[in-house]
Structures are given as C-alpha cells and as structure tokens.
C-alpha cells in the first residue's frame, strides 16, 4: 500500500503548536482495503514543551465531552519517541510512491513537519536540517505549491526521499 492517511490532535491551528496525538493508517482507495495502523497519545506536559498552545483551541477543547478531552489529554508518550515511531511506521509500511492524505491540502502534514523540526530534527552530515532528495528549499518544495509540498514534508517526516507525486498537481500559486 502506498496511501497513508494522517490525523493529529493539536493545541492550535498553526505550525508551532503542540501536538497531542498522531494517527496514521495505510489504505488503498480503489478497493477500500485498510492496512497497518499507528496511533500514539502524547503526554500533555511534554507536548507543551514543544509548542505554544493557542487560547482559541484550548477554549474549544473545554467545550468537548469528557471522553474526548480524556482521549486528547490523557497520553503518556514522549514526543521524541512518538516522532521516531511515526517515521519508522511510514518508512516501513508505505510503498513508493508514498501518497499522504490529511485534513485539507497541508494542515496535518505542515503541522507535523513543524513539530518534527522541533521534537526530533534530522540533520545531514553538515549539521543542516535534512530534506532528503533536496538541497534546500527548491521552488517545487515551496509551501504554495500544495501537492508537491506534501511530498517534501513527508520526505522530511520519514527521513527518506519520497518519489514524486503520482498525479499531476492541479493547484496553482
């Protein structure tokens, strides 16, 4: 399988916010077949060490059910352990070309990329932030390119170069 759905629960809507949980599932959209799954809940105190919560999102969480708040805020895992486990899950289970799916064009993936940069950054041999397959931010990796940016972000998450987006990107600048 080469399609992976990513979902996160956060304490904000912008890059740099804390992440409380991460879920991923491999699937095949043509058949509906579901494959391997990943789910991790992060300790709240540890999560806020890696980002600034947004007041609006904290107020939103207060309005949710007790069960939903317990699920979101009841995690015990360290962020760095979850980051490494998610990288391993994607690189182990996602065949190439790996196609990420998420909420909107880049919400979950952009927030995950920012989170990885803070929690468990990967460095190359020059101590530069590693983006496998790319030297710096090329035009095809710029965030305004939508679909291509997903592939660059997923490459950074997995620590492996990901093949090009398998479909023509219909998004424009």
């Amino acid at each position: 399988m080469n399609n992976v759905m990513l979902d996160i629960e956060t304490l904000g809507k912008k890059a740099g916010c804390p992440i409380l949980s991460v879920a991923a599932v491999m699937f095949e959209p043509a058949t509906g077949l579901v494959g391997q799954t990943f789910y991790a809940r992060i300790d709240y105190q540890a999560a806020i060490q890696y980002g600034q919560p947004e007041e609006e999102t904290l107020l939103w969480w207060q309005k949710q059910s007790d069960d939903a708040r317990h699920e979101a805020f009841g995690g015990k895992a360290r962020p760095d352990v979850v980051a490494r486990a998610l990288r391993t899950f994607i690189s182990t289970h996602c065949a190439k070309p790996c196609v990420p799916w998420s909420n909107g064009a880049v919400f979950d993936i952009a927030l995950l990329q920012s989170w990885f940069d803070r929690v468990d950054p990967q460095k190359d041999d020059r101590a530069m932030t590693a983006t496998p397959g790319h030297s710096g931010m090329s035009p095809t990796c710029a965030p305004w390119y939508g679909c291509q940016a997903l592939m660059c972000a997923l490459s950074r998450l997995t620590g492996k170069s990901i093949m090009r987006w398998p479909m023509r990107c219909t998004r424009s600048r």
Side-chain angles (χ1 to χ4, degrees):
M1 290 184 184
N2 69 330
N3 290 274
V4 59
M5 177 64 72
L6 298 164
D7 187 42
I8 57 176
E9 294 298 336
T10 69
L11 293 177
K13 294 190 245 174
K14 298 177 187 157
C17 69
I19 291 180
L20 297 174
S21 67
V22 180
V25 61
M26 303 304 306
F27 71 102
E28 179 52 55
T31 64
L33 185 63
V34 174
Q36 299 290 325
T37 62
F38 175 91
Y39 181 61
R41 295 170 39 201
I42 298 167
D43 177 76
Y44 171 76
Q45 292 299 324
I48 62 173
Q49 292 177 24
Y50 292 99
Q52 181 64 42
E54 295 176 12
E55 183 176 349
E56 180 181 315
T57 304
L58 291 172
L59 292 172
W60 180 86
W61 275 113
Q62 288 179 354
K63 296 176 186 176
Q64 303 312 302
S65 70
D66 289 341
D67 288 343
R69 282 196 313 275
H70 173 73
E71 187 67 24
F73 291 87
K76 301 294 181 201
R78 292 188 350 229
D80 60 321
V81 172
V82 173
R84 284 190 295 277
L86 180 59
R87 276 195 176 105
T88 300
F89 173 83
I90 293 172
S91 64
T92 301
H93 298 292
C94 196
K96 292 182 180 178
C98 192
V99 181
W101 296 64
S102 70
N103 179 18
V106 295
F107 178 80
D108 294 82
I109 294 172
L111 269 61
L112 278 169
Q113 179 177 345
S114 172
W115 180 72
F116 270 96
D117 287 344
R118 295 184 318 277
V119 172
D120 188 36
Q122 300 294 298
K123 303 290 182 183
D124 66 14
D125 58 357
R126 297 168 300 177
M128 302 289 287
T129 300
T131 304
H134 303 285
S135 57
M137 207 57 172
S138 70
T140 58
C141 291
W144 54 82
Y145 275 83
C147 298
Q148 189 65 36
L150 294 177
M151 300 318 302
C152 293
L154 195 58
S155 291
R156 293 186 73 190
L157 292 179
T158 63
K160 291 184 175 183
S161 182
I162 304 296
M163 294 178 70
R164 296 172 66 129
W165 188 255
M167 301 180 288
R168 179 188 294 250
C169 181
T170 58
R171 297 182 57 115
S172 61
R173 280 203 236 181

